[in-house]
C-alpha cells in the first residue's frame, strides 16, 4: 500500500546530488547549516519539485531512525517547515499547514464532475491554490470508473473526489488525481480533505481515511489549530 519514494540521507558537508533519472519520487535530506533542522530537496521525473508529501514522510522516517530525540524539523524547498515525530507505536507523524478553504468556481466544479464521469457534486471547496475537494454521494463515488484523465489534467489542480465512509472505522474515502493521474497516496490532498471533513463529521481527534488508489492507502489525519497532523 501507499506511494513509493527513494530517500538519500547526506552528511552536512555533502553536495546535493543531481536529479535522478528515475521517475520515482526521491528526497535528499541533510543536516541544515545551522541548528538541529534538516534540509530536504525533492525530485520526480528527472526534475526538482517544490514539495512531495509521501517523500517527506519517508525522509522523516529515515531521519528519525538516525537522529536523537523524538522530533525533527524538515526545511523543505517549498519554504515550509514540517515537524516530524515518531509515536509510541512507531508511526511517523507530520505537521503540515492546513489548507485554507474557499468557494470553488462553478466552472471548475462542472469541469471536474464531467471528467469524473458526469457525477453530481454534493459540495465542493478549494483549499489554497492547490486542491479542489468534491464531495460525492456513496453511489456516485462507487461509479468512478470512466475517468477522463486528460480533462482532469486540464483543471491544473489536485482533484480529490471524496465521500463519507459507510461502515467500519473509516471516516471518509477519497480518490485523488494529480495532473490527471490517480495518485497512490496524496498528502497534499489530505491537507484539504482533513479540514473539509473535520467540521462535517464533528471530529475532534484523528479521522481514519482510505484513499482508494490502485495500491490503496490508509491515512490517519486530524486538525490541530491551523495544522493537519
Amino acid at each position: 500500500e501507499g506511494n513509493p519514494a527513494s530517500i538519500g540521507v547526506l552528511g552536512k558537508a555533502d553536495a546535493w546530488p543531481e536529479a535522478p533519472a528515475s521517475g520515482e519520487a526521491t528526497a535528499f535530506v541533510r543536516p541544515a547549516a545551522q541548528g538541529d533542522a534538516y534540509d530536504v530537496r525533492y525530485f520526480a521525473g528527472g526534475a526538482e519539485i517544490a514539495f512531495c508529501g509521501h517523500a517527506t514522510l519517508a525522509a522523516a522516517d529515515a531521519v528519525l531512525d538516525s537522529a536523537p530525540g523524538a522530533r525533527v524539523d524538515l526545511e523543505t524547498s517549498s519554504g515550509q517547515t514540517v515537524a516530524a515525530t515518531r509515536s509510541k507505536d512507531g508511526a511517523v507523524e507530520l505537521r503540515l499547514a492546513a489548507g485554507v478553504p474557499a468557494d470553488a468556481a462553478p466552472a471548475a466544479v462542472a469541469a471536474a464532475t464531467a471528467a469524473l464521469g458526469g457525477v453530481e457534486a454534493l459540495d465542493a471547496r478549494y483549499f489554497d491554490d492547490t486542491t479542489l475537494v468534491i464531495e460525492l454521494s456513496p453511489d456516485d463515488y462507487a461509479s468512478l470508473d470512466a475517468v477522463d484523465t486528460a480533462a482532469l489534467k486540464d483543471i491544473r489542480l489536485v482533484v480529490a473526489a471524496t465521500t463519507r465512509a459507510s461502515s467500519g472505522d473509516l471516516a471518509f474515502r477519497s480518490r485523488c488525481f494529480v495532473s490527471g493521474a490517480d495518485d497512490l497516496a496524496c498528502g497534499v490532498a489530505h491537507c484539504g480533505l482533513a479540514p473539509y471533513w473535520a467540521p462535517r463529521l464533528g471530529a475532534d481527534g484523528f479521522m481514519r481515511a482510505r484513499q482508494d488508489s490502485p495500491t490503496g492507502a490508509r491515512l490517519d489525519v486530524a486538525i490541530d489549530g491551523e495544522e493537519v497532523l
Side-chain angles (χ1 to χ4, degrees), residues 108-119 134 143-159 161 175-182:
V109 177
T113 53
L116 292 169
V119 294
I134 299 178
S143 74
L144 293 179
D145 293 326
V147 174
D148 186 339
T149 57
L152 284 174
K153 183 177 181 180
D154 288 342
I155 296 171
R156 301 182 183 279
L157 292 167
V158 175
V159 176
R175 286 184 60 189
C176 305
F177 300 90
V178 179
S179 298
D182 210 343

Side-chain angles (χ1 to χ4, degrees), residues 116 118-122 135-145 163:
L116 292 169
V119 294
E120 180 179 353
L122 300 180
E135 183 184 351
L136 305 177
S137 70
D139 287 344
D140 271 354
Y141 182 81
S143 74
L144 293 179
D145 293 326
T163 194

Side-chain angles (χ1 to χ4, degrees), residues 38-221:
Y38 286 76
D39 294 327
V40 189
R41 291 176 67 181
Y42 307 96
F43 299 87
E48 186 166 6
I49 57 176
F51 184 75
C52 179
H54 67 277
T56 303
L57 188 66
D61 186 47
V63 170
L64 286 165
D65 276 345
S66 59
R71 167 180 167 147
V72 295
D73 289 333
L74 302 177
E75 305 284 352
T76 72
S77 47
S78 67
Q80 67 173 308
T81 299
V82 179
T85 57
R86 192 180 296 283
S87 64
K88 292 181 180 178
D89 64 1
V92 175
E93 183 179 285
L94 301 181
R95 285 184 171 270
L96 301 167
V100 177
D103 291 339
V109 177
T113 53
L116 292 169
V119 294
E120 180 179 353
L122 300 180
D123 199 358
R125 291 287 187 274
Y126 287 139
F127 285 88
D128 296 334
D129 57 354
T130 60
T131 304
L132 173 60
V133 170
I134 299 178
E135 183 184 351
L136 305 177
S137 70
D139 287 344
D140 271 354
Y141 182 81
S143 74
L144 293 179
D145 293 326
V147 174
D148 186 339
T149 57
L152 284 174
K153 183 177 181 180
D154 288 342
I155 296 171
R156 301 182 183 279
L157 292 167
V158 175
V159 176
T162 186
T163 194
R164 292 173 186 258
S166 57
S167 61
D169 62 349
L170 294 179
F172 62 89
R173 313 182 75 97
S174 70
R175 286 184 60 189
C176 305
F177 300 90
V178 179
S179 298
D182 210 343
D183 195 80
L184 300 182
C186 189
V188 170
H190 282 80
C191 287
L193 287 163
Y196 179 85
W197 279 115
R200 288 165 174 80
L201 298 173
D204 58 1
F206 276 95
M207 300 172 286
R208 178 152 293 177
R210 179 74 181 176
Q211 185 170 330
D212 295 307
S213 65
T215 59
R218 192 202 83 190
L219 302 95
D220 294 329
V221 294

